[in-house]
Amino acid sequence: LPGSGKTLVSPLLSSLKRTELLSYSFETEFICRLGALGKIDPDAVIAMIRMLIDHKMYEQMMGRNLNFRYSDLSSPFKAIKPLRYFRRIFQKGDEVVPELIRAQSPILNVAVHDMTRVCDYLFSALGARLVFVRVIRHPLLMLVQQFLNLERLLQNPRDIQVCFEYKEEQLPYFAYGWESKFCESNNIDRTIYSIEWMLRESEGARERLKPEHKKSFVQVPFEKLVIDPVPYIDEVAGLLQTEWTRETKKVMKKQKVPRANIFDGLDLPIYRRCGWEPPQSGLSEREEFLKRREFAIAQGATDSALAVLDGLCREYESKWQMEPTI
């Protein structure tokens, strides 16, 4: 989900042997959401996923359509071995690429948003080719970024997202099924209810997966990962049939994992823009959590929305054996 920590996990995976740099596939997201809304037949969704992923691999191995914007996290400038991607744009392409892919067996490293709820499409399309890594995080630690997303992007031309029409208004796909509640709520309540909806839908989809697909589905709780990342890296590496490289520990150090305090994250402009703040001196971890709950209250969260938020927190803490925050 937004704010879960995907951009911490993706560089760790990029350090594994044969794994490509972080990239995105928004087209895949859009198609799956349209399928979930009943606007595209399931067999067409599956066919499109296969084509898009193959096309992405083909172009990436040829150095075509890479993101060379310097400050972006998906830029080759941020890659472990940037020269690899610069060389590709000068090497032979087209006809030689399929053989190159067969010889090198590269692993695409694609970050997507809120796709657990439609992951059955991905597994149906890709089967054993897919290892699905679901990054999950305490609801209070996703709250600020998701609130800012709604504040800044809703009805904004920059929000290129699947929407639907409700009473002559454009609503985001995640409001489908609770439109009246969404329209009647303030933005902090919308944020809480959106997190609840995404989590419930995602968990239901995960439980419905076929047994063979569940074996390739990895859940990575952010709070556990940043304290002890090795078991999670090892699990994904095993499923991908790959291994650590000498760069893996360098990337761990760069990403500040393991860390003593889960709030002691990277201080990057993109993270600050998404609401991240350095931990406040003298505050315990529990007090840092409560500070985010106070943020919700300050933004006008209603009692009913706060009750939902508290319930989500208790569920998460119980499942992942965390100390209670509420």
Side-chain angles (χ1 to χ4, degrees), residues 76-118:
F77 291 103
K78 306 297 183 185
I80 299 163
K81 294 182 177 179
L83 286 178
R84 175 200 300 179
Y85 301 98
F86 284 94
R87 289 194 193 100
R88 286 179 183 175
I89 62 179
F90 297 106
Q91 293 171 345
K92 290 182 179 180
D94 301 313
E95 291 86 355
V96 305
V97 173
E99 186 54 43
L100 195 66
I101 292 172
R102 278 190 287 268
Q104 296 184 6
S105 266
I107 300 168
L108 274 179
N109 178 12
V110 183
V112 290
H113 307 79
D114 186 27
M115 288 287 279
T116 303
R117 55 182 292 272
V118 289

Side-chain angles (χ1 to χ4, degrees), residues 244-258:
W244 289 44
T245 64
R246 60 185 179 184
E247 282 80 23
T248 302
K249 287 189 176 181
K250 295 178 183 177
V251 175
M252 289 171 60
K253 185 176 181 180
K254 186 176 180 180
Q255 295 295 324
K256 297 180 69 174
V257 295

Side-chain angles (χ1 to χ4, degrees), residues 226-227 256-264 285:
V226 296
I227 300 300
K256 297 180 69 174
V257 295
R259 58 184 68 156
N261 186 324
I262 64 172
F263 291 94
D264 190 20
E285 285 191 354

Side-chain angles (χ1 to χ4, degrees), residues 119-120 123-124 127-128 130 132 204-218 239:
C119 62
D120 56 327
F123 278 108
S124 295
L130 174 67
F132 192 100
R206 187 189 68 83
E207 290 176 355
R208 291 191 298 271
L209 283 176
K210 296 177 181 178
E212 63 267 28
H213 294 158
K214 285 184 178 180
K215 293 177 182 178
S216 298
F217 189 107
V218 181
L239 289 169

Side-chain angles (χ1 to χ4, degrees), residues 1 27 37 48 63 66 72 121 141 161 163 175 209 211 228 243-244 259 266 273 304 310:
L1 304 187
E27 301 90 342
L37 290 169
M48 287 297 297
L66 291 177
D72 284 2
Y121 284 134
L141 300 189
Q161 184 53 269
C163 294
L209 283 176
D228 186 13
E243 58 193 21
W244 289 44
R259 58 184 68 156
L266 288 180
R273 195 167 76 236
S304 56
D310 291 347

Side-chain angles (χ1 to χ4, degrees), residues 121-312:
Y121 284 134
L122 299 174
F123 278 108
S124 295
L126 303 173
R129 296 170 58 189
L130 174 67
V131 173
F132 192 100
V133 182
R134 181 193 186 195
V135 189
I136 50 180
R137 197 171 186 176
H138 194 288
L140 285 173
L141 300 189
M142 298 188 292
L143 183 74
V144 177
Q145 179 171 334
Q146 294 209 34
F147 172 78
L148 292 175
N149 285 349
L150 281 174
E151 285 272 288
R152 297 169 179 172
L153 294 177
L154 202 63
Q155 310 300 336
N156 186 315
R158 287 185 60 240
D159 187 26
I160 303 172
Q161 184 53 269
V162 173
C163 294
F164 64 96
E165 190 171 276
Y166 175 76
K167 294 184 178 179
E168 300 184 351
E169 188 174 351
Q170 295 291 315
L171 299 186
Y173 74 91
F174 52 80
Y176 190 76
W178 54 286
E179 300 88 348
S180 295
K181 189 175 184 180
F182 184 89
C183 292
E184 293 165 3
S185 299
N186 61 31
N187 273 344
I188 189 62
D189 282 9
R190 287 175 175 178
T191 301
I192 294 168
Y193 295 141
S194 297
I195 292 174
E196 179 191 31
W197 183 86
M198 290 178 184
L199 289 174
R200 298 279 184 253
E201 290 281 307
S202 296
E203 193 57 29
R206 187 189 68 83
E207 290 176 355
R208 291 191 298 271
L209 283 176
K210 296 177 181 178
E212 63 267 28
H213 294 158
K214 285 184 178 180
K215 293 177 182 178
S216 298
F217 189 107
V218 181
Q219 297 209 88
V220 178
F222 178 88
E223 298 78 15
K224 303 289 185 182
L225 173 79
V226 296
I227 300 300
D228 186 13
V230 172
Y232 299 102
I233 299 174
D234 282 346
E235 182 178 5
V236 177
L239 289 169
L240 292 171
Q241 298 179 32
T242 189
E243 58 193 21
W244 289 44
T245 64
R246 60 185 179 184
E247 282 80 23
T248 302
K249 287 189 176 181
K250 295 178 183 177
V251 175
M252 289 171 60
K253 185 176 181 180
K254 186 176 180 180
Q255 295 295 324
K256 297 180 69 174
V257 295
R259 58 184 68 156
N261 186 324
I262 64 172
F263 291 94
D264 190 20
L266 288 180
D267 191 352
L268 297 177
I270 179 63
Y271 293 166
R272 283 187 178 263
R273 195 167 76 236
C274 292
W276 180 85
E277 295 178 352
Q280 189 174 328
S281 178
L283 289 189
S284 65
E285 285 191 354
R286 181 172 183 272
E287 288 169 327
E288 286 283 357
F289 277 109
L290 291 176
K291 188 169 74 172
R292 285 145 179 84
R293 187 178 186 276
E294 290 299 319
F295 170 87
I297 295 171
Q299 298 302 322
T302 61
D303 290 343
S304 56
L306 272 178
V308 169
L309 178 62
D310 291 347
L312 292 174

